[in-house]
């Protein structure tokens, strides 16, 4: 059978949604007789009645209701496919609103976004650097860069880079107060507290949070790092703060067996079946750009 199996689908959906042949014909820009003919052929092909017809309106049969749901999904999928193919050649343009944590954004993300804009002059970007997790839908944001472990399952996530936490201290601090050899010994040490006094650790493969204490606190990763380098206490910070100091010997990594499993840097965006070119291409660009950073060279 060589007949077009798609023939009549659009006409059927239009009639079902308009509840009239005339209104469906106006929507599609064709004649009522064309609509009627296509629907009749479709019913004949399916060997089932799709509509109950009256002089004023048509209503769906049970078979028609089931068929409509599938046909609407087919139409949506067809449009999605057309948009996806068209976007392959589309350049990012318009406004892109995004958010990222302050320190990581300033050091890693904003420079990459700025270079990305240079490639696409029709693109405008609004970046909100904030350590408060912003609601993407409520704030009308296209993209968020988040660090660590993800909480919001409503969002789609793409892993951009690894992220490892290190517990460390300076040699001068360890000379004065000794090196901790077990988790229980942390309570004897001055712990530099950042945005939280809960440190992520693991024991026997199980990750957990341990509350620490100390005489110093500041909600700035850079400030915590500076205090650790001066020998004020122990710190727990992400790799990008401490790797160069671990390599130089200015900091010493501690309790490596109890460090939490690798977390990650994530690109998050609202659930959509089709991602806009500006978001899709920027996410790819960020992933490639971060992979070239010295901090991630060995990851």
């Amino acid at each position: 059978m060589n007949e077009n199996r798609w023939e009549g689908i659009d006409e059927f959906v239009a009639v079902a949604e308009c509840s009239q042949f005339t209104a469906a014909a106006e929507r599609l820009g064709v004649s009522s007789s064309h609509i009627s003919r296509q629907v009749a052929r479709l019913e004949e092909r399916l060997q089932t009645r799709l509509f109950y017809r009256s002089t004023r309106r048509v209503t769906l049969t049970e078979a028609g209701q089931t068929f409509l749901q599938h046909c609407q999904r087919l139409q949506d999928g067809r449009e999605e496919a057309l948009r996806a193919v068209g976007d392959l050649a589309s350049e990012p343009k318009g406004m892109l609103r995004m958010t990222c944590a302050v320190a990581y954004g300033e050091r890693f993300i904003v420079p990459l976004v700025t270079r990305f804009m240079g490639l696409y002059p029709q693109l405008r970007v609004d970046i909100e650097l904030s350590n408060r997790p912003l609601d993407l839908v409520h704030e009308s944001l296209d993209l968020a860069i988040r660090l660590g472990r993800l909480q919001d399952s409503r969002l789609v996530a793409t892993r951009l880079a690894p992220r490892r936490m290190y517990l460390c201290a300076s040699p001068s601090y360890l000379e004065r107060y000794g090196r901790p050899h077990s988790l229980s010994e942390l309570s004897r040490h001055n712990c530099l507290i950042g945005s939280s006094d809960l440190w992520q650790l693991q024991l026997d493969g199980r990750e957990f949070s341990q509350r620490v204490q100390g005489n110093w606190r500041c909600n700035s990763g850079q400030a915590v790092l500076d205090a650790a380098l001066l020998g004020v206490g122990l710190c727990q910070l992400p790799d990008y703060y401490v790797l160069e100091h671990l390599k130089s010997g200015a900091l010493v990594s501690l309790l490596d067996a109890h460090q939490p499993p690798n977390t990650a840097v994530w690109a998050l965006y609202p659930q959509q079946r089709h991602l806009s070119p500006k978001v899709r291409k920027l996410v790819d660009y960020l992933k490639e750009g971060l992979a070239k950073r010295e901090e991630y060279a060995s990851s």
Side-chain angles (χ1 to χ4, degrees):
M1 192 178 291
N2 296 322
E3 59 189 336
N4 186 349
R5 295 175 65 86
W6 287 88
E7 195 173 45
I9 297 293
D10 291 337
E11 290 83 356
F12 161 72
V13 173
V15 173
E17 292 178 346
C18 296
S19 299
Q20 287 184 334
F21 280 82
T22 303
E26 291 176 356
R27 176 196 282 191
L28 298 181
V30 296
S31 66
S32 296
S33 60
H34 171 83
I35 296 287
S36 180
R37 186 166 56 250
Q38 291 297 323
V39 171
R41 289 176 178 173
L42 182 61
E43 288 180 320
E44 182 180 350
R45 226 165 45 241
L46 296 173
Q47 292 293 294
T48 189
R49 175 178 286 188
L50 299 173
F51 294 110
Y52 296 116
R53 295 163 173 81
S54 68
T55 54
R56 290 195 169 187
R57 59 185 291 116
V58 294
T59 56
L60 288 163
T61 64
E62 183 179 357
Q65 291 173 348
T66 300
F67 193 55
L68 175 64
Q69 294 174 1
H70 289 280
C71 287
Q72 287 172 327
R73 287 198 292 269
L74 285 171
Q75 283 186 327
D76 290 344
R78 180 181 61 189
E79 294 305 313
E80 191 78 11
L82 292 171
R83 284 196 298 270
V85 172
D87 283 343
L88 289 176
S90 297
E91 287 198 353
K93 58 185 175 182
M95 174 64 77
L96 188 154
R97 301 190 67 242
M98 63 180 294
T99 182
C100 184
V102 177
Y104 193 83
E106 290 176 340
R107 182 173 171 184
F108 291 87
I109 300 300
V110 174
L112 286 172
V113 174
T114 303
R115 289 200 285 273
F116 180 76
M117 288 184 67
L119 302 175
Y120 302 104
Q122 296 185 66
L123 182 67
R124 293 179 295 134
V125 175
D126 183 344
I127 308 173
E128 178 78 16
L129 294 182
S130 173
N131 293 329
R132 176 177 63 89
L134 302 180
D135 187 298
L136 271 69
V137 176
H138 184 262
E139 302 282 349
S140 298
L141 293 165
D142 299 297
L143 177 66
I145 308 302
R146 298 269 168 84
L147 312 174
R149 300 197 176 279
L150 300 180
Q151 305 294 331
D152 196 338
S153 61
R154 299 171 304 164
L155 301 174
V156 180
T158 297
R159 186 178 183 273
L160 296 180
R163 179 178 183 262
R164 184 178 179 188
M165 299 295 291
Y166 285 87
L167 195 160
C168 47
S170 70
S172 63
Y173 175 89
L174 297 176
E175 287 174 10
R176 288 198 304 272
Y177 302 103
R179 179 176 185 143
H181 296 285
S182 67
L183 293 176
S184 61
E185 293 181 37
L186 286 180
S187 60
R188 306 175 194 170
H189 288 269
N190 189 39
C191 296
L192 303 172
I193 300 171
S195 57
S196 173
D197 60 356
L198 293 173
W199 284 5
Q200 300 304 308
L201 299 161
Q202 71 166 325
L203 180 63
D204 298 328
R206 180 181 61 87
E207 188 173 356
F208 68 98
S209 299
Q210 178 161 323
R211 195 173 301 279
V212 296
Q213 56 187 1
N215 64 6
W216 189 99
R217 178 170 190 158
C218 181
N219 64 340
S220 162
Q222 184 60 50
V224 171
L225 173 63
D226 292 342
L229 290 170
L230 290 172
V232 178
L234 309 183
C235 71
Q236 187 182 56
L237 286 169
D239 42 22
Y240 50 87
Y241 278 110
V242 301
L243 281 181
E244 64 175 294
H245 303 292
L246 292 172
K247 290 178 181 177
S248 70
L251 290 176
V252 177
S253 182
L254 307 169
L255 301 177
D256 290 341
H258 299 293
Q259 294 289 55
N262 287 7
T263 55
V265 180
W266 304 94
L268 275 71
Y269 35 89
Q271 287 188 356
Q272 300 171 6
R273 289 189 308 169
H274 180 63
L275 201 57
S276 67
K278 60 187 177 184
V279 174
R280 175 172 51 80
K281 291 188 177 182
L282 176 57
V283 168
D284 290 343
Y285 188 85
L286 292 175
K287 189 172 185 178
E288 293 173 6
L290 291 174
K292 296 175 182 177
R293 295 278 311 212
E294 183 180 355
E295 294 86 347
Y296 298 115
S298 60
S299 300

